[in-house]
């Protein structure tokens, strides 16, 4: 049977089989089912199955498909930060508002995460049958399954809003239809249940606080649970979930039960943010800096901001990267690395040649700061042209007349001629964006420069369908060597995100609290960006200004890490951010005409798209299940 690559939080020693195939073969009769839990080995394999539903976000070329249980997302290219040049990618349906309750991706996530929930419940109720497990090991494994079940509920809740809660018991999928009629729980009931499940795990004492490579490496631990708990509370406090989006105010079950909070006072909303801030603070006080810290690289004794930020997300330095909280290891990265490697028609060999189809939007390029820590633009005019920040030193047009410094090696990348818009930007820009004329990361067989204009080595003429749709390619996670070599760590939650969660929650419940600036500046310091409060960069004055600063920082720091899609929704700003056309360079031209901001795709977002629709086939079976507001069977 095929070998699959599972989670970092998994029993690595037992995973030489396909857990999904194993689960599919579990017989239904009682005698044989008992035999599944007859030995420690077979019981551990069943628990391994529970783990397989964790998303592998390196597989976003085919969201909802691939090895394991198919829960990879469409989030990086399904929002305003990026685009997939391949038109058959499901993220394009999101961007063009073409999802329906019948869309395969809509059905896959609902089905797969509920399968994970059901599998966890089955394990929890039957693991005691294994007589080879010691009481301590039994308690540990059952608690892991409880934590994973709550995580799958979190993923469903984040995507679909109010969901169906099944409590402790698994659902008998073979029961008559009249026994499979369930109503959706309210937002508050969902949050309370998920958080209570995390609390049960934390209070049980059955999991380690933090797993290291020297003890029970491979198992979920309390730090992971605490991170998911704080972000669940952050979702609950955010405008989309706290009743501020009135579009969903009347969503009700068929018995009239309202599913969204009704008329919360400002004090009640503040209290939600306080819970999120407290959960973040609890994590920080318990784990930082002893167990977790921001990852930093020093070269010849000197701090290297570029490599610190670049490598904190790569997971290559597995044993010493204290920033990774939740992640998968040994992921097959060939697709992801191919998608982020430009076509390079003039490269010396295939090791340099990719598809370059995961592409950065012009809006995201504009979001990165200048080296002086200031935003290059402050907004856009009605025609889409940028409003340049005169204090930033940014130039939107023309070519540089000075040599451009390559932060990878410190040597000169090109003698001159790089577009002024890409000069003197912050280190994160160069770690995240491959732009026209930039030297490629792989240099083992010579240097190659990526060019995305029409006749360039990675343009339409050379690459046909394998070309950038915007004139930029995502560089974050891109291979430093051959694109088809090596398993990699896929980081799903890191400390930098938790710091930004904390700053955001504090600013909403306690504006001016010193920790807001402290943790925002810790992110900027690691990124090599001047701190707020330093010369020429005043601290954002007031709650609204600080809110904008935190959101702007988060957009850069967490770029292409599956956050932006959900952030603009929970902040209730997607009607603004996702209704903008996709812009980039003019990929159909050469020379100066290439360097013209161009509308490449019209995008559309309507209020119903804040949540996925409930799959129509589920509603057809479950007569108590109501559809999300705005969606209908004929969409």
């Amino acid at each position: 049977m095929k070998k699959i690559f599972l989670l970092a939080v998994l029993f690595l020693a037992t995973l030489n089989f396909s857990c999904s195939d194993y689960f599919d073969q579990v017989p239904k009769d009682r005698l044989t089912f008992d035999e599944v839990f007859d030995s420690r080995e077979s019981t551990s394999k069943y628990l391994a199955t529970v783990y397989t539903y964790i998303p592998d976000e390196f597989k976003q070329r085919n969201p909802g498909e691939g090895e394991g249980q198919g829960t990879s997302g469409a989030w990086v290219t399904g929002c305003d930060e990026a685009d997939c040049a391949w038109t058959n990618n499901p993220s394009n349906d999101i961007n063009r508002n073409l999802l329906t309750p019948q869309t395969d991706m809509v059905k896959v996530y609902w089905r797969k995460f509920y399968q994970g929930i059901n599998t966890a419940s089955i394990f929890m109720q039957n693991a005691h049958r294994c007589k080879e497990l010691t009481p301590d090991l039994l308690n540990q494994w059952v608690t892991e399954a409880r934590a994973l079940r709550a995580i799958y509920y979190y993923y469903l809740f984040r995507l679909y809003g109010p969901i169906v809660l099944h409590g402790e018991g698994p659902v008998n999928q073979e029961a008559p239809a009249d026994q499979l009629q369930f109503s959706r729980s309210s937002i508050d009931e969902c949050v309370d249940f998920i958080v209570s499940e995390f609390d049960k795990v934390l209070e049980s004492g059955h999991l380690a606080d933090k797993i290291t490579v020297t003890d029970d490496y491979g198992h979920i631990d309390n730090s992971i649970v605490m991170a998911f708990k704080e972000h669940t509370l952050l979702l609950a406090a955010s405008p989309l979930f706290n009743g501020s989006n009135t579009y969903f105010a009347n969503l009700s079950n068929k018995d009239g039960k309202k599913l969204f909070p009704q008329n919360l006072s400002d004090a009640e909303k503040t209290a939600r943010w306080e819970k999120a801030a407290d959960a973040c603070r609890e994590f920080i006080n318990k784990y930082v800096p002893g167990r977790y810290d921001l990852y930093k690289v020093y070269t010849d004794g000197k701090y290297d901001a570029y490599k610190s930020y670049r490598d904190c997300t790569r997971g290559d330095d597995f044993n010493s990267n204290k920033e990774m909280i939740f992640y998968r290891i040994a992921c097959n990265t060939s697709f992801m690395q191919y998608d982020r490697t430009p076509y390079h028609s003039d490269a010396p060999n295939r090791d340099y040649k990719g598809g370059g189809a995961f592409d950065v939007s012009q809006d995201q390029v504009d979001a990165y700061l200048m080296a002086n820590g200031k935003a290059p633009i402050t907004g856009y005019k009605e025609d889409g042209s940028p409003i340049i920040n005169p204090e930033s030193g940014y130039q939107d047009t023309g070519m540089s007349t000075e040599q451009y410094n390559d932060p990878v090696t410190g040597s000169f990348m090109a003698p001159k001629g790089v577009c002024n818009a890409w000069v003197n930007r912050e280190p994160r820009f160069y770690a995240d964006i491959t732009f026209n004329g930039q030297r490629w990361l792989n240099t083992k067989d010579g240097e190659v420069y990526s060019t995305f204009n029409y006749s360039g080595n990675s343009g339409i003429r050379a690459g046909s369908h394998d070309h950038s749709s915007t004139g930029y390619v995502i560089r974050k996670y891109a291979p430093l060597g051959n694109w088809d070599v090596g398993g990699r760590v896929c980081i799903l939650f890191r400390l930098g995100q938790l710091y930004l969660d904390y700053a955001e929650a504090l600013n909403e419940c306690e504006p001016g609290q010193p920790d807001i600036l402290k943790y925002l500046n810790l992110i900027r310091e690691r990124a090599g960006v001047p701190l707020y409060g330093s010369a020429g960069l005043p601290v954002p004055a007031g709650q609204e200004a600080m809110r904008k600063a935190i959101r702007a920082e988060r957009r850069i720091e967490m770029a292409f890490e599956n956050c932006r899609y959900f952030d603009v929704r929970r902040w209730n700003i997607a009607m603004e951010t996702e209704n903008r056309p996709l812009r980039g360079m003019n990929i159909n031209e050469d020379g100066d005409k290439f360097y013209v901001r161009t509308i490449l795709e019209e995008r559309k977002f309507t209020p119903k798209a804040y949540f996925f629709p409930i799959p129509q086939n589920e509603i057809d079976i479950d007569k108590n299940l109501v559809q999300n507001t705005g969606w209908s069977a004929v969409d």
Side-chain angles (χ1 to χ4, degrees), residues 260-272:
F260 276 77
Q262 303 293 307
N263 303 315
L264 291 187
S265 66
D266 289 343
E268 289 172 316
K269 293 177 180 178
T270 297
R272 293 180 177 229

Side-chain angles (χ1 to χ4, degrees), residues 305-454:
Y306 168 81
K307 288 186 177 179
S308 294
Y309 169 74
R310 183 195 71 182
D311 294 353
C312 84
T313 64
R314 295 183 61 84
D316 294 339
D317 193 3
F318 185 78
N319 291 326
S320 62
N321 188 344
K322 293 173 63 178
E323 186 159 352
M324 302 187 302
I325 297 174
F326 189 52
Y327 48 89
R328 296 175 60 122
I329 67 169
C331 295
N332 185 345
T333 57
S334 293
F335 284 167
M336 181 274 293
Q337 294 182 155
Y338 179 87
D339 299 344
R340 302 188 187 201
T341 300
Y343 187 73
H344 295 148
S345 62
D346 57 356
N349 54 59
R350 68 180 295 274
D351 297 339
Y352 290 72
K353 296 182 177 182
F358 271 44
D359 308 321
V360 189
S361 70
Q362 186 66 53
D363 284 12
Q364 182 64 30
V365 169
D366 293 342
Y368 289 86
L369 306 174
M370 302 299 291
N372 60 15
K374 297 182 178 181
I377 69 171
T378 59
Y380 298 93
K381 301 175 184 177
E382 289 188 5
D383 64 358
S385 59
I387 303 172
I388 296 175
N389 178 5
E391 298 180 354
S392 68
Y394 174 75
Q395 298 180 58
D396 193 55
T397 60
M399 310 303 287
S400 66
T401 57
E402 298 179 358
Q403 290 177 317
Y404 172 78
N405 191 54
D406 180 4
V408 178
T409 63
S411 62
F412 291 119
M413 183 203 302
K416 59 183 177 180
V418 175
C419 182
N420 282 324
W422 310 325
V423 174
N424 294 323
R425 303 296 285 269
E426 60 161 307
R428 290 177 295 193
F429 177 84
Y430 301 109
D432 285 356
I433 313 293
T434 300
F435 50 83
N436 200 60
Q438 190 175 23
R439 192 184 71 175
W440 183 237
L441 296 164
N442 186 356
T443 60
K444 70 180 183 67
D445 294 320
E447 294 186 350
V448 173
Y449 293 83
S450 306
T451 50
F452 302 111
N453 53 292
Y454 178 79

Side-chain angles (χ1 to χ4, degrees), residues 110-128:
W110 181 274
R111 182 177 71 253
K112 292 296 187 180
F113 283 126
Y114 272 117
Q115 285 178 354
I117 288 166
N118 218 42
T119 308
S121 293
I122 290 171
F123 182 88
M124 292 167 64
Q125 291 196 353
N126 291 278
H128 69 277

Side-chain angles (χ1 to χ4, degrees), residues 35 51 149 293 295 317 330 476:
E35 291 177 353
Y51 276 95
R149 187 176 67 179
D293 209 348
Y295 183 74
D317 193 3
K476 184 177 269 188

Side-chain angles (χ1 to χ4, degrees), residues 612-629:
F612 264 31
I614 307 301
Q616 187 61 41
N617 63 311
E618 300 292 338
I619 289 178
D620 292 341
I621 295 171
D622 185 348
K623 302 306 180 182
N624 288 332
L625 197 59
V626 295
Q627 183 57 273
N628 273 333
T629 305

